[in-house]
Amino acid sequence: MPELPEVETIRRGLDKYIVKKKLMRATVLCEKSFVGEVSDARGSVAGLRRYGKALIIDLDNGKSLMVHLRMTGQLIYDGAERYAAGHPSENFVAELPNKQTRVVMEFDDGTLYFNDQRKFGFIKVLGTAEVEEDAFIKKLAPEPWAMEADEFYAKLQRHKNALIKAVILDQTIICGLGNIYADEALFAAEIHPERKAGMVSRAEAEELLKDARMVMERSIESGGSTMATYVKADGTKGDYLEKFAQVFRREGQPCVRCGNEIKKIRVAGRGTHICTRCQK
DNA sequence: CTAGGATCCTGTCAGC
DNA sequence: TGCTGACAGGATCCTA
């Protein structure tokens, strides 16, 4: 679930809890969820970086932890207070570790839990100098802010027979969008998700690129679609979906632009939300 | 090379 | 209540 805005929110939110803190030891509860030598996951945290939907935790021992939450990953820091982010679930306020806990990272003043219901996500330890050479990182396309309309349009032309929604979900074409923001950006740009990429005009491509930036910026500003939860209080979940989503999970409700009923269909194997009147 | 579908895994929910 | 299939905020692998 976590798309670029959620991971960026985690990067910013986790900073004050673990940067300059000492990671004493990591314990792997699910082998599939951890790649590399676990004893390398030790040392002080030098900083946090992000590449698309991947979070990088740089350590001062020459190693880095690459965290990819995929569909259901969560990072929950439990110390004097709790900071939880990622896939929203009861785990945010549950006793930890629990049966969805895959990796436990013990710091000098708290514990960082990597939880992941479906086990699609992972933590990978690798040399800090090798992060940018990692196969996944290396093939990521630029984020929308770093891409010119001409480049984006050229990529749509290259994949002219693929559905536009599938194209913008491809991280090697444009980086950061997931199922929510793909639907939101296509709605904002008034483009039907089943249109072939080659049938998107240069002007529409420019608008779509602009809207992709816009929907993700708005989400980051509000703390991600599922706002990181500070569980000192009551687990207030902030909510891009409620505050800003125009179509995602709004099937059956009226379109904010024209009042027509929002429909849910399947495109490229993903649940897809559209206004059939606005999006052509 | 591109495009589309199956697959990884666990949990929940709708519909018998 | 119990079963079954569909589905889920991602990405890869396999096939044509």
Side-chain angles (χ1 to χ4, degrees):
Chain A
M1 350 167 91
E3 304 180 32
L4 186 152
E6 286 70 47
V7 181
E8 177 60 18
T9 297
I10 293 172
R11 189 188 69 75
R12 295 179 185 183
L14 208 50
D15 192 283
K16 74 170 187 177
Y17 295 100
I18 69 169
V19 171
K20 295 193 166 48
K21 300 294 174 58
K22 189 173 179 187
L23 172 58
M24 322 284 284
R25 170 177 55 184
T27 306
V28 177
L29 304 183
C30 173
E31 292 299 327
K32 185 180 192 293
S33 305
F34 192 94
V35 179
E37 183 53 55
V38 68
S39 60
D40 286 343
R42 202 178 294 248
S44 291
V45 175
L48 303 175
R49 292 182 282 162
R50 182 185 58 72
Y51 291 90
K53 302 173 189 174
L55 178 71
I56 310 296
I57 301 173
D58 290 313
L59 301 174
D60 68 354
N61 67 345
K63 302 290 183 180
S64 295
L65 300 174
M66 174 170 127
V67 183
H68 201 308
L69 302 173
R70 290 279 182 95
M71 298 280 267
T72 54
Q74 307 168 312
L75 284 173
I76 303 170
Y77 189 80
D78 205 14
E81 58 184 30
R82 184 179 273 200
Y83 173 83
H87 176 62
S89 83
E90 293 304 310
N91 285 337
F92 283 6
V93 293
E95 262 316 287
L96 294 176
N98 62 22
K99 66 177 173 182
Q100 294 184 351
T101 304
R102 310 306 179 196
V103 181
V104 179
M105 288 157 279
E106 295 171 65
F107 285 80
D108 42 10
D109 70 344
T111 305
L112 181 63
Y113 297 95
F114 172 62
N115 271 38
D116 185 16
Q117 177 192 120
R118 295 174 73 179
K119 301 184 181 176
F120 291 167
F122 59 86
I123 295 178
K124 178 177 180 178
V125 61
L126 69 176
T128 300
E130 299 155 29
V131 170
E132 295 197 343
E133 300 308 311
D134 178 85
F136 174 79
I137 302 289
K138 201 167 184 175
K139 66 188 179 192
L140 288 176
E143 296 179 3
W145 302 277
M147 194 182 294
E148 299 294 331
D150 284 333
E151 180 186 356
F152 184 51
Y153 180 62
K155 285 183 169 185
L156 298 192
Q157 290 301 307
R158 176 136 51 92
H159 298 272
K160 58 181 161 50
N161 292 316
L163 305 184
I164 184 64
K165 174 159 177 179
V167 170
I168 64 173
L169 282 174
D170 186 334
Q171 305 298 298
T172 69
I173 295 174
I174 185 166
C175 176
L177 293 162
N179 207 32
I180 295 178
Y181 302 104
D183 280 5
E184 293 297 325
L186 288 166
F187 173 80
E190 301 184 27
I191 297 170
H192 196 289
E194 288 178 309
R195 206 194 304 174
K196 299 233 180 193
M199 298 303 288
V200 173
S201 72
R202 170 65 173 70
E204 287 174 320
E206 184 165 356
E207 178 65 28
L208 180 56
L209 183 62
K210 186 167 75 70
D211 290 336
R213 294 172 186 155
M214 184 268 294
V215 295
M216 293 203 290
E217 277 167 2
R218 291 181 68 191
S219 178
I220 292 170
E221 284 165 15
S222 74
S225 66
T226 53
M227 182 153 65
T229 307
Y230 297 86
V231 184
K232 263 162 62 175
D234 55 323
T236 316
K237 282 172 198 155
D239 210 38
Y240 177 85
L241 293 180
E242 280 175 25
K243 280 191 284 193
F244 300 115
Q246 312 279 283
V247 286
F248 198 82
R249 289 189 190 150
R250 288 196 67 247
E251 61 269 30
Q253 296 177 240
C255 169
V256 297
R257 266 195 309 251
C258 76
N260 192 36
E261 186 183 326
I262 299 299
K263 300 290 187 194
K264 184 174 182 184
I265 60 175
R266 273 193 103 65
V267 180
R270 313 295 301 275
T272 299
H273 310 75
I274 52 168
C275 171
T276 53
R277 190 184 295 172
C278 291
Q279 294 171 261
K280 298 299 183 188

